[in-house]
Structure formats: C-alpha cells, structure tokens
Amino acid sequence: RIAIAPIKTATQASLEGDPLLSKDIRFFFEANSSNLDRNEPKNVEYLATIKRFLQVSPGSTVVLRGHVDNVRIEEFRRSGGESLVQSMALKAMDLSQQRARAVGEALLAKFPEIDKSRVEAVGRGWQEPTNSTDPAQNRRVEVQWFTIE
C-alpha cells in the first residue's frame, strides 16, 4: 500500500496558492448546463481517480476549479457591447462554479466515505483558458490537491 504523506507547513496555506498536484480533467456535461453527463463513462472514471488520490494522501484537500470556453466573447461584444460581455462573463463565472460544485457533489454521492471538508469547488469562468485553440479544452474542471496542516 502506498501513501503520500502531507507536507507540513508552519502557516496555513491559501488553498489556491501552491498545489501539491494539479491535473486538468475534462468532465462531460450536458450542453450549456452544469448537469454531468450520466451516460459518459469517463466521468465515473475521473471521480474514482480523485477518490484514489484522496485515499493515498491523507490530509490532502482537493480543489475543483471549473472553467468554461470563451469563444463567443467577440460575438457578445458585436451584438451588445461591453455591457453584454460583462453580463455574460458573470454568467460564465456562475456556470463554471456550478460545474465545479456538480463534480464535488457527484464525488461525495458516489463515495460518501469522503469527508466533505476535503473537497472545495471554485469557478473561474472564462478567465483562465488553456493555450489550446480547441474551445472544448477550456470546458473543464481542473483538479488540484493541496496539503494543509
């Protein structure tokens, strides 16, 4: 059995500061929704991956960071100006938060033995896109593991 021991720090680190491990995982959602696609077997596989890491790394906390793509910004700007862009940015932030929360809820529902205090969900909207030209790569939930004292 392999276990990864938490790194001890003198002060409590901010959870989004310096992750022990970070992995982009593209969970599949219903279109324009925060509902996980229940027919996608990869979603179940990804949840199991998160659970395994939490098992081998006692003391770790997982932060689920939701992202959405930004391909329609120019369309919003043309049709409604900066006020529409700002409005849609808020909606994108909300959707990314809902998606991250949906992953956390699915994780805890599938594996109720996981302490919910070890799972945090945050949304990033379209503010942190990948360097990819494929918008699908920006619709993702990034999983970061942190150790805290």
Side-chain angles (χ1 to χ4, degrees), residues 3-9 20 56-61 146-149:
I4 300 171
I7 298 169
K8 301 292 181 192
T9 58
L20 175 66
V56 299
S57 180
S60 65
T61 300
F146 295 85
T147 57
I148 55 175
E149 189 172 336

Side-chain angles (χ1 to χ4, degrees), residues 25-44 46-47 50 64 95 98-110 139-141:
I25 296 178
R26 186 168 175 249
F27 281 91
F28 294 87
F29 295 89
E30 294 174 9
N32 298 313
S33 164
S34 61
N35 296 326
L36 277 169
D37 183 345
R38 300 290 179 186
N39 297 319
E40 176 54 57
K42 286 283 188 190
N43 284 344
V44 175
Y46 297 149
L47 292 173
I50 296 169
L64 307 168
L95 178 59
Q98 290 172 18
R99 285 181 170 180
R101 208 171 315 135
V103 170
E105 289 168 0
L107 178 69
L108 295 171
K110 182 148 185 68
R139 294 187 294 267
R140 70 195 196 281
V141 172

Side-chain angles (χ1 to χ4, degrees), residues 32-142:
N32 298 313
S33 164
S34 61
N35 296 326
L36 277 169
D37 183 345
R38 300 290 179 186
N39 297 319
E40 176 54 57
K42 286 283 188 190
N43 284 344
V44 175
E45 179 185 321
Y46 297 149
L47 292 173
T49 298
I50 296 169
K51 177 191 179 262
R52 276 192 304 277
F53 188 86
L54 288 169
Q55 282 180 314
V56 299
S57 180
S60 65
T61 300
V62 65
V63 175
L64 307 168
R65 293 175 46 164
H67 302 270
V68 297
D69 70 67
N70 60 359
V71 296
R72 297 184 61 202
I73 292 176
E74 287 308 315
E75 176 187 335
F76 298 144
R77 189 169 281 123
R78 283 191 306 274
S79 64
E82 288 305 313
S83 63
L84 180 59
V85 171
Q86 290 175 2
S87 172
M88 297 310 289
L90 291 174
K91 288 182 181 186
M93 184 67 74
D94 187 49
L95 178 59
S96 67
Q97 172 69 40
Q98 290 172 18
R99 285 181 170 180
R101 208 171 315 135
V103 170
E105 289 168 0
L107 178 69
L108 295 171
K110 182 148 185 68
F111 305 108
E113 67 275 15
I114 294 174
D115 179 353
K116 67 180 178 180
S117 70
R118 296 181 70 196
V119 179
E120 183 176 324
V122 296
R124 288 292 171 246
W126 62 44
Q127 300 304 315
E128 296 176 8
T130 64
N131 291 328
S132 172
T133 57
D134 178 6
Q137 295 302 313
N138 290 320
R139 294 187 294 267
R140 70 195 196 281
V141 172
E142 179 182 11

